[in-house]
Amino acid sequence: MRSYSLIAPAKINLYLEIIGSRPDGYHELAMILQSIDLSDQIDIHASSTENIRVYCDHPQVPIDQSNLVYKAAALMAREFPKAFSNFGGVDITIKKHIPVAAGLAGGSSNAAAVLVGMDLLWNLGLTQSELEELGASLGSDVPFCIGGGTAIATGRGEQLSPLQSLDNLHIVLAKYRSLEVSTPWAYKTYRQQFGVNYIQDSEGLAARASAFHSEDMVKAILNKNTENIAQKLHNDLEKVVLPAYPQVWQLRELFASQPGVLGTMMSGSGPSVFAIVESQNQGQIVKERIREAIPDEDLELFVTHTIKHGIKIAQ
């Protein structure tokens, strides 16, 4: 039986701005997405049946049809029925390292790995653009997770403009295992509180998304200026998540008070919080200080760094 093992990296948001409402009900966004060296492994095996079976070593991850990994495999079966008929179903094993329900696109990255893996398994020869188009039907983060690196994301997050990739940012990441923030709740609450400020017309939405390509955060990334990147971190969703989740607010404030932390922010809709630090060694020091300040075993802490790639075959 043929099989592939793929590395599926997490992502953080370096910037997240909510511009307005789209006709399809989603929000129009302007974001900068960044892959980090914290990854799951996805093993895909061809089976002799017509079934799609999902396995995972993490008790919080569903292994039924609600899992985005299952949905990705089912999508490939529908889109390429001849290949499905020829090669049969797949067994997919998820080896989790990315925290669950963390605002780090772990599920989206896993689904992206399934699209890439089944393309290889079935000898489809799809381009990255074709894979991204398939991924967009599964979720807004899936297209980015395929190629990864550093990118501007507009629309609902699926319209990507790659930037020169960053591989020089050292990151400390924290997430309470038992704490989850509903992404739909975060966006709905933001709309209720700040929707009066939304750009309403399509021309205005397009103009704001276009203007974002030349703003200060993009320039800082192009210049690979770590301090400027850290100073320009921005996430609109902090306005609603931090007041509602004191633990996340406390974590962010604690990061901000640490020597060597250049900037800190919640990623996506949370509840993960990350800090940009000067070096890996400084990251270890900050991690130890956070652990001393919050000795709660429920708090997961990671020292990682930004990377240039998305899904890749495991070595």
Side-chain angles (χ1 to χ4, degrees), residues 137-154:
S137 68
L138 295 168
S140 300
D141 283 334
V142 179
F144 168 76
C145 291
I146 290 168
T150 311
I152 296 172
T154 53

Side-chain angles (χ1 to χ4, degrees), residues 72 107 240 280:
V240 295
Q280 182 176 354

Side-chain angles (χ1 to χ4, degrees), residues 272-291:
S272 293
V273 177
F274 69 91
I276 298 176
V277 294
E278 298 167 342
S279 65
Q280 182 176 354
N281 182 60
Q282 186 65 51
Q284 292 292 344
I285 293 171
V286 170
K287 175 184 174 182
E288 290 168 8
R289 287 175 174 164
I290 298 295
R291 177 60 72 198

Side-chain angles (χ1 to χ4, degrees), residues 156-171:
R156 57 183 174 85
E158 85 290 2
Q159 298 172 19
L160 302 174
S161 299
L163 292 170
Q164 184 176 358
S165 292
L166 294 169
D167 59 353
N168 61 335
L169 294 188
H170 297 279
I171 304 289

Side-chain angles (χ1 to χ4, degrees), residues 76 80 83 87 115 118-127 130:
M76 294 294 280
F80 305 100
F87 292 99
L115 297 180
M118 291 183 69
D119 172 50
L120 295 170
L121 201 65
W122 289 357
N123 300 317
L124 297 173
L126 300 176
T127 65
E130 290 170 328

